[in-house]
Amino acid sequence: MSSESPTDRASRRTRILSNHLTTSDLQVGGNSLQSNICLSYSPPELHEKIEFEVRKMRELLDVHNLRDRDWLFGLMMQSKLFNPQEKGGKVFVMPDFNHTKEQQREMTMKRIEYLLERGVFDGWLTTRGPETEMRKFAFMETLGIFDQSLAIKIGVHFFLWGGAIQFFGTKRHHDKWLRDTETYRIKGCFAMTELGHGSNVRGIETVATYDPKTDEFVITTPCESAQKYWIGGAANHATHTVVFSQLNINGRNQGVHAFIVQLRDFDGNICPNIRIADCGHKIGLNGVDNGRIWFDNVRIPRENLLNSVADVTPDGQYKSAIQDPDQRFAAFLAPLTSGRVTISLSAIYSAQIGLAIAIRYALSRRAFSFVPNEPEVLLLDYPSHQRRLLPLVAKTYAMTCAGNYLKKMYVKRTPESNKTIHVVSSGFKAVLTWHNMRTLQECREACGGQGLKTENQVGHLKGEYDVQSTFEGDNNVLMQQVSKALLGEFIAAKKKNKPFKGLGLEYMNEHWPVIPSQLTSDILRSSNFQITALRLRERDLLNRFAAEMSQHQSNGVNKEYAFALGYQLAEDLGRAFSDRIIFETFLNDEGTVSTGPMKDAVGKLRSLYALTCMEEDAAFLRYGYLSTEKAAAVRAEVAKLCSELRPHALGLVSSFGVPSAFLSPIAFNWIDSNAWSSSSA
Amino acid sequence: MASQDSVMIHTDQVLVEEKSSARILVLNRPKQLNALSYPMISRLLELFLAYEADPNVNLIILKGNGRAFCAGGDVAAVVHDIRKANWKSGAQFFSKEFILNYVMATYTKPQVSILNGIVMGGGNGVTMHGRFRVATETSVFAMPETALGLFPDVGASYFLSRLPGFFGEYVGLTGARLDGAEMLACGLATHFVPATKLSLLEEALYKVDSSDPAIISAIIDCYSQKPKLKDLSAYKRLDVIDRCFSRKTVEDILSALERESMDKADDWINNTIWSLKKASPTSLKISLRSIREGRIQGVGQCLTREFRMVCHVMEGKLSKDFFEGCRAILLDKDRNPKWEPARLELISEGMVEQYFSRMDDEEWDDLKLPSRSNFVLPGHAIAKL
């Protein structure tokens, strides 16, 4: 101050005074004047036009149990347990992530008790059939939209523990456990993974030995690497678990079997000879109490063996209808596919949340002007922003349809369709969960700094959903399994000189298709061209993969190692297969829409999906399915489609049907929600 | 009545007073308990739109002449119109009414409604969407449509669904009456002012000369009281209401209530069950679904959906319960409607679904909401979109 000259001081005072005057002018002027000077939130609903009926579009995406979903959304929104918070005049529900992991776990359990009391889980295990299964899927999707921890915790109890009882157990287990599970009189968990073994279940080290003297099995954790790990529900709440263990009968190992073991008494005390430790704080899903379990010669009755595939008689004879241990193991695990189905679906709903938030923000947030002194431009009016988000919307639409196809196939499963379900669910689980993580990252960046706030979901969800590429089968391993299955089909067809049948490979029986020499806009947008291009890639990769495998094997490399060496093509092929089926399901659903603005929008999304697949996968250029000129035409068309879909953006994300309470403040009036008057929290 | 500097403008059914920058609109059909006629609705809409554009107007006060605020929409007239012409002439009434409701919900200037006396049905449509709702000890609130073969319309699927817990389902399905204290407790009213202080409050509001909701709210606060809920208030039964009215279907709600009454019978539960049993089964089912959908929709979507529903009701193709209800309650007054279908279990999900579909009529359009994009809406209006 002292160094300031009198003139400086005078001019500074003038400046301050005139600032006061301008400010008070503003206040006198009220709303109309303020809007010219300050930014005001302009809701997209008022300036965007929606040309199709959102209700109909939502039906195309959600398909089934819409009323049930809405009811469950309402149940969550209306209860204090779901932590409703008002921001910018709207109420949002979201777990309180300031809570410690212990508090988050207790809240998850309280929410489950509330939902139980309202009848959400009625019939989940005591009724059967496609209708019940579809309703369960709808509820799982809806619960996951609130919080992934809640969905996982319920999923472990009903689908893993309950599913194990249903599918691995027989009547004596069903009668004893299913009703008590449905009412949460007992709380179940699923102890498969160990510290030393995850995807390779057959390598687990826990041992169950039969003692004919007492008619009991003795379960043992023989070494530290055999401790059960990541067991959801084990750390705090579970009273019972299914334990996967090697079965030792008279000194002979009969392979992996499943047993029921009680972990805690009804007062929550850990049972004798069982030790449980916490897995600790995680990057997400802290509302799930993952634990580690050691079994110190725990004795359980013989009847606790889940004996759908194999049994042990009181005198210690091992009995199984399936002699081959490989087949026995496959038959045993087949029913667990539901986990991959639910994961695929929840990945899609998470991507929907991310995109609804990022697009709504991009329709209300402006930055920079094209012309000096003109209003700043909406983020979504930048072609680059369209290119970042709209292809992800198109993919999410396509994958939602694919998810519905998978669900339908799963609930109508037969012994014959099990293999297809296994292959498709493996491919989808990998592709859909990777898509979700990529989408969330893009949405986080598209929301700028606001994406970093936990309350705005998009950033936080990355931590919650990251696990999806790992649990129920590592994505890379799954992709290799898809390629292995395709190779099996290929070899079977070639060896026996029989036509391809199943997995949508029938087109392989036709001639090699030809890509037109001129790719006009019309051709690029025709489903005919699109399916041809996607099939061409899959077919060529399959041929290349088969050639590479046979090359390795003729060089004396063993089969498993040959697969390990062929990882590049295996992964490309797995993706090509999944992309192609996703496209087919989307095209099929498009066919059910009657002519009009909605069909136009879906058609554009389908084209954008197919062309983005082509633009993004280097295989199209690497192997010359597209010349550089044609690849350029594809790229130009992607940009064009983005600009044509821009006017539909609000309608497209509204049709996801995620209620505003489950989005985030930044998707709505982010100026009011950040105002000083609402900054007490 | 009029002071020297105020001007009174007489029209038949809506009286207008000007007090500096406040405009006082008085519903004026006291013999009909101020039931909203088509001319009243048209006039209100015209006035609201004009005041929005008029920089000399800062505040609108809405009140009723006589002992009622407003008994609802003039349904008898609507039925008369439909009998004389066709359902579309009845639907015109609702179209205008819902547009008025939407303009009020998204209004740029504060509306203070003084809810002295009964406020029912359509009366709630012209008040609940506004910024301030002042209840008194004489207020009687109800959405009684299910007893009439209709459903809670005028945007009720928006404002009922946002009441605490499942109170909205309770109020909307049973048509339960609430007093001023209950209205305040559940949030239907923003303030409670004793009737004797209303004229002082109005005088104070005339002098505000501001559109700032915080200032207006502070003035109403000066005359407000915190009334005590009566001992037998339904609002004290929120736990039972939440347990029962959160159930998935009307049938489930009824059986949950019946279980409660077996555990511990009392008049309130028995009356609640009785209200549900006497209401139109079709009305109950479409009302429940409407409230549930409304909970996840904006006010514009709610009104658009309700308009579809009301068109189906007026058309009378899916059910004639509305006409039967009007006959039994308003015309013949035998209070003994014969609902068709007569029982809940006879109404399938598919039948309910039809009420939510677009009218199967080439010449008939969905509700056309007026564009609000030229206005800078206040935050609380934006939040309703």
Side-chain angles (χ1 to χ4, degrees):
Chain A
M1 277 294 265
S2 59
S3 67
E4 208 174 40
S5 76
T7 36
D8 279 347
R9 211 167 348 186
S11 72
R12 202 167 66 85
R13 279 204 60 77
T14 323
R15 216 166 49 236
I16 291 168
L17 278 174
S18 64
N19 273 345
H20 282 312
L21 286 172
T22 352
T23 322
S24 58
D25 270 347
L26 274 178
Q27 281 163 353
V28 173
N31 281 345
S32 56
L33 187 57
Q34 243 174 17
S35 68
N36 294 332
I37 297 174
C38 295
L39 280 183
S40 63
Y41 175 79
S42 175
E45 282 81 2
L46 293 188
H47 56 78
E48 298 288 323
K49 264 183 88 172
I50 298 182
E51 308 221 345
F52 50 82
E53 212 187 310
V54 167
R55 169 186 290 274
K56 290 270 169 219
M57 190 69 105
R58 184 190 170 201
E59 281 171 16
L60 182 79
L61 298 176
D62 275 346
V63 182
H64 61 101
N65 299 89
L66 272 78
R67 305 289 78 79
D68 291 330
R69 292 170 199 261
D70 290 352
W71 171 61
L72 184 49
F73 280 133
L75 276 184
M76 296 192 273
M77 287 163 65
Q78 296 307 102
S79 164
K80 292 272 179 286
L81 287 172
F82 291 78
N83 190 31
Q85 302 280 317
E86 198 191 304
K87 305 259 160 124
K90 280 187 117 71
V91 176
F92 298 94
V93 286
M94 187 187 200
D96 185 344
F97 292 111
N98 279 321
H99 278 169
T100 64
K101 74 178 194 307
E102 299 302 331
Q103 290 170 313
Q104 290 185 47
R105 292 167 179 186
E106 286 320 303
M107 285 312 296
T108 307
M109 205 57 232
K110 280 198 181 127
R111 287 171 189 138
I112 291 174
E113 282 156 15
Y114 165 81
L115 297 167
L116 174 72
E117 206 178 282
R118 307 294 147 134
V120 172
F121 307 124
D122 288 357
W124 276 38
L125 291 171
T126 51
T127 59
R128 290 199 182 199
E131 215 174 282
T132 307
E133 291 193 329
M134 288 305 259
R135 185 160 45 87
K136 282 195 272 185
F137 278 132
F139 281 153
M140 287 298 286
E141 288 157 20
T142 309
L143 293 164
I145 286 174
F146 170 73
D147 174 30
Q148 180 71 349
S149 283
L150 179 62
I152 298 285
K153 180 111 176 150
I154 290 167
V156 167
H157 176 76
F158 281 102
F159 291 90
L160 293 181
W161 156 264
I165 305 287
Q166 271 183 320
F167 299 124
F168 307 157
T170 52
K171 188 165 183 305
R172 67 173 187 235
H173 305 109
H174 301 167
D175 292 348
K176 184 162 181 192
W177 305 102
L178 289 182
R179 182 160 298 278
D180 281 353
T181 300
E182 189 173 294
T183 58
Y184 272 93
R185 206 177 82 81
I186 57 170
K187 302 183 187 100
C189 65
F190 188 80
M192 184 150 89
T193 299
E194 295 175 357
L195 177 60
H197 290 87
S199 289
N200 181 18
V201 179
R202 296 186 66 185
I204 58 170
E205 298 171 285
T206 303
V207 181
T209 311
Y210 183 63
D211 179 355
K213 284 192 278 284
T214 57
D215 207 19
E216 286 171 326
F217 291 106
V218 183
I219 314 264
T220 311
T221 304
C223 48
E224 283 301 358
S225 61
Q227 64 179 272
K228 293 294 178 186
Y229 215 102
W230 294 126
I231 312 310
N236 294 96
H237 298 126
T239 59
H240 291 75
T241 188
V242 170
V243 182
F244 287 79
S245 163
Q246 305 289 350
L247 172 58
N248 189 329
I249 303 271
N250 301 323
R252 188 165 164 213
N253 182 20
Q254 297 289 356
V256 176
H257 290 70
F259 305 84
I260 294 172
V261 177
Q262 185 165 357
L263 296 177
R264 289 184 174 86
D265 64 20
F266 290 100
D267 297 325
N269 306 307
I270 294 173
C271 296
N273 299 335
I274 287 172
R275 285 175 286 147
I276 295 179
D278 206 297
C279 286
H281 195 269
K282 295 162 290 185
I283 61 167
L285 289 180
N286 282 301
V288 179
D289 51 326
N290 291 93
R292 304 181 281 146
I293 314 173
W294 290 258
F295 301 94
D296 303 327
N297 296 322
V298 177
R299 290 187 162 263
I300 54 166
R302 189 177 55 87
E303 290 75 25
N304 282 18
L305 168 68
L306 293 172
N307 59 338
S308 69
V309 175
D311 207 352
V312 174
T313 61
D315 61 343
Q317 306 278 335
Y318 182 76
K319 302 256 186 224
S320 175
I322 309 170
Q323 291 311 316
D324 176 26
D326 283 350
Q327 280 182 15
R328 196 157 66 215
F329 186 69
F332 189 53
L333 285 191
L336 285 187
T337 326
S338 79
R340 284 201 289 274
V341 180
T342 3
I343 291 168
S344 304
L345 293 160
S346 73
I348 283 311
Y349 280 92
S350 157
Q352 291 183 356
I353 294 170
L355 286 165
I357 293 168
I359 296 258
R360 289 190 58 94
Y361 185 55
L363 288 170
S364 65
R365 170 70 191 229
R366 294 168 184 273
F368 302 105
S369 316
F370 292 141
V371 180
N373 301 321
E374 286 289 298
E376 290 181 295
V377 177
L378 277 179
L379 295 186
L380 203 62
D381 285 330
Y382 285 95
S384 58
H385 214 74
Q386 294 167 12
R387 177 61 188 83
R388 285 166 69 185
L389 295 178
L390 295 177
L392 295 172
V393 172
K395 286 187 179 189
T396 302
Y397 264 73
M399 291 179 191
T400 306
C401 294
N404 288 322
Y405 160 81
L406 177 61
K407 255 189 282 189
K408 264 178 252 161
M409 188 159 67
Y410 175 78
V411 301
K412 289 185 193 154
R413 65 192 173 278
T414 59
E416 295 75 47
S417 70
N418 267 343
K419 184 177 162 195
T420 309
I421 294 173
H422 173 74
V423 177
V424 174
S425 68
S426 300
F428 281 10
K429 188 262 184 182
V431 170
L432 272 54
T433 59
W434 272 329
H435 165 71
N436 177 37
M437 289 308 291
R438 187 188 151 196
T439 300
L440 291 174
Q441 181 63 25
E442 197 64 64
C443 291
R444 204 298 289 153
E445 292 177 31
C447 291
Q450 289 296 327
L452 300 169
K453 291 181 67 162
T454 304
E455 70 171 23
N456 287 329
Q457 298 263 26
V458 286
H460 180 84
L461 286 178
K462 290 191 294 172
E464 296 289 307
Y465 281 87
D466 206 339
V467 64
Q468 289 203 325
S469 54
T470 297
F471 65 11
E472 299 276 335
D474 172 89
N475 279 3
N476 292 285
V477 173
L478 290 178
M479 279 309 213
Q480 289 182 19
Q481 288 193 13
V482 171
S483 293
K484 260 190 205 176
L486 292 174
L487 183 65
E489 295 293 315
F490 185 89
I491 290 168
K494 294 286 160 185
K495 258 194 192 153
K496 295 178 190 150
N497 209 13
K498 277 199 350 207
F500 283 91
K501 196 165 173 294
L503 296 175
L505 295 171
E506 289 79 2
Y507 73 88
M508 301 264 296
N509 303 317
E510 323 263 312
H511 291 297
W512 280 79
V514 179
I515 299 280
S517 53
Q518 282 290 319
L519 291 185
T520 63
S521 186
D522 281 349
I523 292 176
L524 285 165
R525 291 179 188 215
S526 77
S527 57
N528 211 359
F529 160 75
Q530 293 157 4
I531 190 65
T532 300
L534 293 173
R535 283 175 177 169
L536 179 62
R537 170 179 59 156
E538 183 188 16
R539 179 178 198 157
D540 180 63
L541 289 170
L542 180 48
N543 275 283
R544 285 173 191 273
F545 185 53
E548 188 184 340
M549 288 304 109
S550 99
Q551 179 71 39
H552 284 313
Q553 281 176 298
S554 63
N555 289 344
V557 177
N558 85 25
K559 204 170 149 193
E560 290 309 317
Y561 189 46
F563 276 124
L565 290 173
Y567 70 96
Q568 285 178 325
L569 280 167
E571 181 143 328
D572 286 353
L573 175 59
R575 182 172 284 279
F577 167 80
S578 308
D579 287 352
R580 190 258 305 162
I581 299 206
I582 291 167
F583 178 82
E584 286 171 346
T585 60
F586 194 22
L587 184 62
N588 186 57
D589 285 2
E590 181 190 342
T592 65
V593 181
S594 44
T595 313
M598 178 169 148
K599 198 182 188 81
D600 293 346
V602 175
K604 287 193 167 93
L605 289 168
R606 185 250 305 148
S607 288
L608 184 55
Y609 171 74
L611 297 180
T612 308
C613 286
M614 293 178 216
E615 196 201 351
E616 287 176 351
D617 184 1
F620 283 91
L621 277 169
R622 184 186 302 125
Y623 301 116
Y625 317 138
L626 294 174
S627 64
T628 48
E629 290 79 17
K630 287 179 189 174
V634 167
R635 182 165 228 211
E637 201 66 22
V638 165
K640 222 166 120 196
L641 279 162
C642 285
S643 71
E644 288 174 33
L645 281 165
R646 156 66 186 88
H648 296 298
L650 180 65
L652 291 176
V653 298
S654 303
S655 304
F656 288 151
V658 180
S660 57
F662 296 80
L663 296 178
S664 65
I666 199 181
F668 298 91
N669 192 343
W670 43 269
I671 296 184
D672 270 13
S673 60
N674 282 291
W676 173 252
S677 53
S678 35
S679 62
S680 55
Chain B
M1 197 159 100
S3 66
Q4 298 225 314
D5 57 320
S6 76
V7 188
M8 285 205 37
I9 304 165
H10 285 275
T11 62
D12 275 332
Q13 302 180 352
V14 179
L15 306 176
V16 180
E17 283 180 69
E18 295 186 8
K19 301 276 189 179
S20 89
S21 69
R23 296 293 176 274
I24 301 95
L25 309 183
V26 186
L27 306 178
N28 185 35
R29 283 177 88 204
K31 275 188 200 148
Q32 290 85 3
L33 302 176
N34 298 325
L36 295 171
S37 64
Y38 190 79
M40 277 165 104
I41 288 168
S42 304
R43 179 73 178 140
L44 284 172
L45 180 58
E46 194 181 284
L47 290 167
F48 266 79
L49 291 175
Y51 294 153
E52 193 154 48
D54 184 349
N56 296 318
V57 177
N58 276 332
L59 168 69
I60 295 176
I61 298 171
L62 188 64
K63 54 185 205 176
N65 185 13
R67 63 195 170 89
F69 174 84
C70 173
D74 193 348
V75 181
V78 172
V79 173
H80 181 74
D81 283 353
I82 294 175
R83 291 255 154 84
K84 224 170 57 182
N86 58 34
W87 67 269
K88 288 181 185 176
S89 55
Q92 298 288 2
F93 173 91
F94 290 96
S95 167
K96 187 70 97 181
E97 185 181 27
F98 290 8
I99 285 171
L100 173 64
N101 300 151
Y102 181 69
V103 168
M104 288 171 155
T106 55
Y107 209 59
T108 53
K109 298 175 183 180
Q111 169 188 349
V112 179
S113 303
I114 307 216
L115 307 174
N116 207 11
I118 65 169
V119 48
M120 292 187 182
N124 290 310
V126 295
T127 54
M128 293 306 154
H129 298 293
R131 187 72 173 82
F132 298 107
R133 289 94 57 191
V134 179
T136 75
E137 68 277 14
T138 68
S139 301
V140 181
F141 166 99
M143 289 301 285
E145 287 82 357
T146 57
L148 206 66
L150 194 61
F151 63 93
D153 59 341
V154 295
S157 64
Y158 182 85
F159 62 75
L160 289 182
S161 62
R162 279 156 180 80
L163 299 184
F166 294 83
F167 199 63
E169 273 93 339
Y170 163 69
V171 167
L173 294 186
T174 63
R177 294 181 168 208
L178 305 179
D179 63 23
E182 291 168 321
M183 290 175 72
L184 182 73
C186 74
L188 284 165
T190 56
H191 296 80
F192 181 97
V193 176
T196 50
K197 288 194 182 168
L198 286 176
S199 51
L200 289 173
L201 167 65
E202 284 178 45
E203 289 292 331
L205 286 173
Y206 301 157
K207 297 190 196 112
V208 179
D209 210 22
S210 166
S211 268
D212 186 339
I215 295 174
I216 289 163
S217 186
I219 288 173
I220 311 176
D221 282 343
C222 296
Y223 300 89
S224 295
Q225 284 186 358
K226 267 227 136 93
K228 232 183 117 219
L229 279 177
K230 60 187 180 213
D231 286 343
L232 294 175
S233 169
Y235 203 69
K236 290 187 168 173
R237 310 301 292 273
L238 210 49
D239 53 337
V240 183
I241 288 172
D242 277 357
R243 271 203 301 279
C244 300
F245 283 86
S246 60
R247 293 280 159 171
K248 196 159 70 175
T249 63
V250 179
E251 290 92 326
D252 290 348
I253 291 172
L254 254 172
S255 41
L257 283 164
E258 280 164 359
R259 271 200 308 275
E260 295 273 346
S261 81
M262 278 197 290
D263 288 350
K264 193 171 162 280
D266 70 48
D267 285 351
W268 176 79
I269 288 192
N270 292 342
N271 284 337
T272 303
I273 294 172
W274 185 74
S275 312
L276 292 176
K277 292 211 160 152
K278 126 185 122 83
S280 150
T282 303
S283 290
L284 289 176
K285 288 210 166 178
I286 64 174
S287 301
L288 181 62
R289 164 127 174 230
S290 176
I291 294 168
R292 297 268 160 95
E293 279 199 28
R295 188 162 277 142
I296 54 174
Q297 291 177 325
V299 71
Q301 288 169 296
C302 283
L303 287 162
T304 311
R305 172 178 41 72
E306 288 177 10
F307 186 63
R308 278 190 184 182
M309 295 169 68
V310 96
C311 287
H312 283 291
V313 171
M314 294 305 131
E315 192 193 30
K317 231 176 175 173
L318 301 174
S319 154
K320 296 195 172 18
D321 277 4
F322 172 60
F323 301 96
E324 173 61 10
C326 288
R327 182 202 64 73
I329 312 284
L330 303 175
L331 305 173
D332 298 351
K333 300 191 178 167
D334 60 19
R335 306 211 141 252
N336 187 22
K338 296 272 175 279
W339 305 124
E340 180 63 42
R343 292 200 317 275
L344 290 167
E345 58 271 28
L346 298 175
I347 302 156
S348 68
E349 180 110 344
M351 289 157 80
V352 173
E353 181 69 38
Q354 285 179 290
Y355 282 88
F356 296 79
S357 62
R358 193 189 280 270
M359 296 302 288
D360 190 14
D361 185 331
E362 288 282 303
E363 288 157 28
W364 191 251
D365 234 335
D366 278 333
L367 183 65
K368 283 258 175 307
L369 295 172
S371 165
R372 308 288 290 156
S373 58
N374 292 331
F375 298 95
V376 176
L377 302 189
H380 83 275
I382 289 176
K384 293 182 187 173
L385 292 170

